[in-house]
Amino acid sequence: MAGIGNIFFGDDGFGPAVARALAADDFPGVKIEDYGIRGLHLAYELASGYDRAFLIDAVPGGAAPGTLYLVDPGSPEHETVPDAHRMDLENVFGFLRVIGGEAPPITLVGCEPAQTDDGIGLSQPVSDAVGPAAELVRRLLSETLTATQCGQKGSTI
């Protein structure tokens, strides 16, 4: 599980906040990390052979702040040419293609931000969504682990 976002831009810190909420969880074979704005690092991590990835990020979609989304980030509308000066998920997938990597199946758990201006701290609706997002990720992860227990053990980020 990878928390993504910049804690210095308000609600963009949603992913790192959820990663912190999940950090104490003990799921065998699961890596939980706050990648912050280290998109290139995340691209290399995704290329390193995981069976599944859960990414957590602020995702503007036009709904009320704090609304949670499940997104397929590998769909064609998310393809772009990577820009080393911009580290968002589109760039992560762009760099992944450039380095010849292949991402595992990915589930993006997103949250509608209220504000992403300079400043530390989540808005109230996004802060209120951290717990439900962590529970959603736990449920999705449990379902994934249960489905793979019949087969071979895998690894998840």
Side-chain angles (χ1 to χ4, degrees):
M1 288 175 276
I4 303 164
N6 189 334
I7 63 167
F8 297 109
F9 289 110
D11 290 341
D12 196 42
F14 172 76
V18 175
R20 283 191 304 276
L22 294 167
D25 291 2
D26 184 24
F27 289 104
V30 176
K31 179 178 183 176
I32 301 170
E33 187 163 340
D34 170 9
Y35 283 86
I37 57 173
R38 297 175 293 139
L40 189 56
H41 182 189
L42 178 57
Y44 278 103
E45 191 75 41
L46 288 171
S48 66
Y50 289 97
D51 295 323
R52 181 112 188 108
F54 293 92
L55 308 181
I56 306 145
D57 197 6
V59 177
T67 300
L68 296 177
Y69 302 107
L70 290 177
V71 180
D72 176 6
S75 61
E77 66 267 16
H78 291 99
E79 289 189 10
T80 186
V81 175
D83 174 356
H85 301 286
R86 205 182 86 220
M87 280 300 147
D88 54 24
L89 283 179
E90 291 177 359
N91 265 318
V92 169
F93 294 117
F95 277 115
L96 190 57
R97 285 189 303 278
V98 166
I99 63 174
E102 188 174 322
I106 292 174
T107 299
L108 171 63
V109 176
C111 180
E112 182 73 42
Q115 56 82 24
T116 55
D117 298 330
D118 290 353
I120 296 176
L122 301 175
S123 66
Q124 193 61 53
V126 173
S127 179
D128 291 345
V130 169
E135 285 305 313
L136 174 59
V137 171
R138 286 180 186 109
R139 181 177 58 78
L140 294 169
L141 182 57
S142 291
E143 290 170 2
T144 299
L145 293 174
T146 299
T148 59
Q149 282 178 351
C150 296
Q152 62 186 24
K153 259 190 162 178
S155 60
T156 301
I157 182 172

